[in-house]
């Protein structure tokens, strides 16, 4: 049977399922049931989800958790997190609780500028192009007024447009490099619409003015936003780091060393930053933002000095332990999924309907907290103890443990180390 198809997009949802199941899945009844099991009984809600993307066949659930006790600039938040990985929400919660008793997190929005570019080719004299750009710049902005009018009324809009000469990189390559303030919107549609208008005006006017043609290659926002930056930090006296049998001096020293390693060693930096993204992505997803854009921008920022490095930094100075991060986050709290996905609305309500700048601060804190929790485990007990404790339920579910078995095994592992094989052994023993 052919495994390719023309016109798949035109099939109904149930025809799509039938085709996928009969073409690719041998256990077709079970697969079909699994796909349908995830349909929502509320038809309107299901249709809303079907229409978020294309060729929808079902819903793919992620758990939505909440990490309470985040004290940020004196306000206490419960932070919604959508993520599949066990121990992330527990780690964030534990770090939040720890810092709540030590003054909480402090944050500052450093900048909120977003970027878009029209990439074009031009083989003529650069001085002619410069003169032409300077003469046309006001018109580029004027012609975009129908797009920018509402944003300007709210206080945002186009900040500037520059002509950038990139001919050192590619012969004949230039950019219109534009900066924008998009306030509470992530701004992708707004920026792309402005850019396409710039391109249209630029090309049309160039035809009448320049001797050589302008060939627009593409007009698109950049997800690299080093000037949409937020800082999150915590600090306390070294003695205040004391908890349980942790020696605060030794802990602070090891912690700072762990961060230093991630500052110089890219293999470690990638994992270190992955831990930060555990927190960032989970809140970004829960609040309906684009985690791919955030991921791409954050990792580019981690390489801004020409080498991939830790996003967080730590020091001990004059008896004070400080831990901080600056991270670029272009987020929105209006538009996109924020007003469409019912759980996104609930998540934003839990956070008190934040403005985009407030959400930037919350998301940065979630990343910093996550990194603090991971590094505390790594430099003390090792990561597996806490992670496996949280992962226990996943292993029990793999073995279809019933509630009586779960209770007995969870009790057993209160005093034993969780490893996959130890859990399997305990289940087998119980069942025998
Ligand atoms: P613990 O000390 O065993 O926890 O920590 P506890 O039972 O004493 O509870 C203390 C608090 O932790 C609780 O306070 C909660 O806030 C939280 P309470 O609610 O009781 O007032 N907590 C929980 N919250 C929700 N559900 C739970 C739960 N248990 C504790 N079941 C913990 C256990 C896992 C928190 C700790 O060991 C930890 O923080 N581990 C780090 C885990 C981690 O970083 N996970 C991320 C996945 S690993 C990874 O991908 C990243 C990594 O590679 C990054 C890197 O290398 O840098 C590690």
């Amino acid at each position: 049977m052919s495994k390719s198809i023309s016109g798949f997009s035109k099939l109904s949802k149930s025809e799509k399922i039938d085709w996928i199941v009969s073409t690719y899945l041998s256990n077709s009844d079970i697969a079909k049931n699994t796909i349908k099991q995830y349909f929502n009984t509320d038809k309107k809600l299901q249709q809303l989800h079907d229409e978020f993307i294309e060729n929808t066949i079902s819903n793919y659930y992620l758990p939505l958790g909440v990490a309470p006790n985040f004290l940020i600039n004196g306000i206490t938040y419960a932070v919604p997190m959508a993520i599949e990985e066990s121990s992330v929400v527990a780690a964030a919660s534990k770090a939040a609780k720890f810092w709540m008793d030590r003054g909480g997190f402090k944050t500052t929005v450093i900048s909120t500028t977003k970027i878009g570019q029209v990439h074009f080719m031009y083989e003529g004299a650069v001085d002619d192009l410069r003169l032409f750009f300077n003469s046309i710049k006001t018109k580029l902005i004027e012609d975009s007024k129908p797009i920018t009018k509402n944003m300007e009324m709210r206080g945002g809009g186009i900040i500037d447009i520059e002509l950038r000469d990139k001919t050192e990189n590619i012969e004949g390559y230039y950019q219109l490099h534009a900066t924008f303030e998009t306030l509470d919107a992530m701004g992708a549609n707004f920026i792309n619409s402005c850019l396409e208008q710039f391109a249209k005006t630029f090309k049309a006017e160039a035809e009448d003015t320049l001797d050589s043609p302008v060939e627009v290659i593409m007009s698109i926002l950049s997800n690299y936003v080093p000037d949409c930056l937020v800082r999150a930090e915590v600090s306390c006296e070294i003695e205040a780091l004391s908890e349980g049998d942790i020696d605060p001096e030794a802990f602070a020293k090891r912690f700072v060393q762990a961060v230093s390693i991630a500052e110089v060693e890219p293999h470690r930096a990638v994992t270190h930053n992955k831990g930060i993204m555990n927190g960032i992505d989970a809140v970004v997803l829960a609040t309906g933002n684009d985690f791919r854009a955030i991921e791409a921008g954050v990792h580019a920022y981690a390489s801004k000095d020409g080498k991939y490095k830790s996003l967080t930094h730590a020091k001990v100075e004059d008896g004070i332990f400080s831990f901080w991060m600056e991270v670029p986050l272009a987020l929105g709290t209006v538009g996109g999924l924020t007003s469409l996905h019912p759980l996104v609305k609930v998540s934003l309500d839990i956070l008190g309907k934040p403005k985009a700048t407030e959400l930037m601060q919350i998301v940065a804190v979630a990343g910093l907290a996550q990194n603090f929790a991971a590094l505390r485990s790594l430099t003390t007990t090792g990561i597996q103890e806490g992670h496996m404790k949280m992962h226990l339920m996943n292993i029990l579910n793999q073995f279809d443990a019933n509630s009586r078995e779960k209770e007995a095994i969870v009790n057993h592992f209160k005093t034993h180390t969780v490893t996959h094989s130890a859990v399997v052994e305990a289940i087998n023993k119980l069942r025998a």
Side-chain angles (χ1 to χ4, degrees):
M1 184 199 278
S2 167
K3 294 208 169 190
S4 61
I5 182 171
S6 166
F8 184 73
S9 64
K10 314 284 182 307
L11 299 180
S12 69
K13 181 169 159 185
S14 107
E15 287 166 338
K16 285 183 182 111
I17 294 171
D18 285 344
W19 186 82
I20 281 287
V21 164
S22 61
T23 312
Y24 283 97
L25 301 167
S26 49
N27 53 352
S28 53
D29 287 344
I30 299 174
K32 210 168 181 172
N33 280 340
T34 304
I35 289 167
K36 291 191 170 173
Q37 213 173 21
Y38 284 85
F39 286 2
N40 201 296
T41 48
D42 179 335
K43 288 210 161 52
K44 210 166 149 221
L45 190 63
Q46 184 53 59
Q47 191 182 350
L48 180 75
H49 282 74
D50 286 348
E51 289 172 1
F52 282 152
I53 62 162
E54 309 75 38
N55 290 347
T56 314
I57 58 165
S58 189
N59 306 309
Y60 184 97
Y61 291 176
L62 279 184
L64 178 67
V66 170
N69 301 323
F70 270 98
L71 182 64
I72 307 175
N73 298 341
I75 300 173
T76 306
Y77 296 90
V79 176
M81 303 177 82
I83 188 158
E84 85 301 342
E85 186 175 1
S86 50
S87 87
V88 168
V89 177
S93 308
K94 187 170 170 177
K97 198 173 154 190
F98 180 87
W99 284 106
M100 179 167 242
D101 299 335
R102 291 158 181 83
F105 296 83
K106 307 275 181 300
T107 55
T108 327
V109 173
I110 296 168
S111 49
T112 56
T113 303
K114 288 152 194 169
I115 291 165
Q117 297 167 321
V118 177
H119 304 268
F120 67 94
M121 309 307 280
Y122 168 77
E123 302 293 346
V126 63
D127 287 345
D128 291 353
L129 184 66
R130 283 213 183 93
L131 275 176
F132 166 68
F133 171 73
N134 289 336
S135 70
I136 197 82
K137 187 169 162 179
T138 314
K139 185 165 171 52
L140 292 175
I141 295 171
E142 280 304 312
D143 284 2
S144 307
K145 282 283 175 213
I147 305 163
T148 58
K149 201 173 66 188
N150 288 344
M151 188 65 88
E152 279 174 7
M153 268 175 356
R154 290 190 291 267
I158 302 161
I159 299 172
D160 195 16
I161 313 173
E162 280 172 51
L163 173 70
R164 290 200 172 173
D165 182 342
K166 307 296 282 184
T167 50
E168 271 192 13
N169 305 109
I170 300 176
E171 204 184 322
Y173 170 36
Y174 296 85
Q175 296 169 349
L176 297 180
H177 180 98
T179 43
F180 301 86
E181 172 55 70
T182 63
L183 304 168
D184 288 330
M186 190 264 188
N189 284 332
F190 171 77
I191 293 173
N192 289 336
S193 300
C194 288
L195 294 171
E196 288 186 7
Q197 181 58 53
F198 298 162
K200 212 162 141 188
T201 302
F202 194 72
K203 195 168 161 36
E205 296 289 325
E207 267 164 29
D208 297 339
T209 317
L210 292 171
D211 290 338
S212 295
V214 159
E215 190 192 346
V216 172
I217 304 298
M218 59 190 158
S219 310
I220 189 73
L221 93 164
S222 171
N223 291 127
Y224 184 44
V225 281
D227 290 319
C228 188
L229 202 62
V230 58
R231 178 183 169 96
E233 59 194 294
V234 283
S235 64
C236 67
E237 290 182 354
I238 291 196
E239 297 78 61
L241 289 171
S242 153
E243 201 193 34
D245 54 8
I246 286 181
D247 166 7
E249 290 269 353
F251 169 69
K253 191 169 169 216
R254 282 167 73 86
F255 192 99
V256 171
Q257 281 169 339
V259 175
S260 310
I261 291 169
E263 280 167 340
V264 298
E265 165 51 48
H267 283 92
R268 172 58 201 146
V270 171
T271 317
H272 178 98
N273 290 346
K274 182 274 183 194
I276 295 169
M277 298 316 287
N278 277 342
I280 290 183
D281 280 346
V283 189
V284 166
L285 257 180
T287 56
N289 276 279
D290 180 344
F291 67 92
R292 287 87 51 210
I294 296 296
E295 280 276 346
V298 169
H299 293 298
Y301 189 75
S303 323
K304 69 180 187 326
D305 302 327
K307 186 174 167 191
Y308 190 89
K309 287 182 180 169
S310 161
L311 290 159
T312 53
H313 309 282
K315 67 175 180 191
V316 171
E317 223 169 69
D318 302 330
I320 304 288
F321 168 83
S322 313
F323 179 49
W324 72 98
M325 168 170 76
E326 282 175 14
V327 70
L329 293 171
L331 297 171
T333 53
V334 298
L337 272 199
T338 55
S339 53
L340 275 181
H341 196 304
L343 277 177
V344 167
K345 283 196 247 176
V346 171
S347 296
L348 288 169
D349 283 350
I350 293 172
L351 293 174
K353 298 189 173 56
K355 298 198 124 330
T357 45
E358 192 179 352
L359 185 60
M360 282 167 78
Q361 298 171 72
I362 296 165
V363 171
V365 163
L368 189 74
Q370 205 65 50
N371 191 225
F372 180 79
L375 289 180
R376 184 174 46 184
S377 290
L378 287 166
T379 56
T380 55
T381 57
I383 199 72
Q384 285 307 80
E385 184 181 297
H387 185 65
M388 289 308 284
K389 193 166 131 189
M390 302 296 122
H391 189 56
L392 175 58
M393 213 39 85
N394 287 340
I395 306 176
L396 291 175
N397 284 332
Q398 274 165 18
F399 283 86
D400 258 335
N402 61 34
S403 47
R404 192 185 51 79
E405 289 171 328
K406 281 181 180 168
E407 196 185 327
I409 288 175
V410 167
N411 273 333
H412 170 77
F413 280 104
K414 279 184 180 155
T415 49
H416 294 81
T417 305
V418 182
T419 63
H420 194 274
S421 55
V423 178
V424 175
E425 198 181 307
I427 293 174
N428 288 339
K429 206 163 154 194
L430 192 68
R431 288 180 176 169

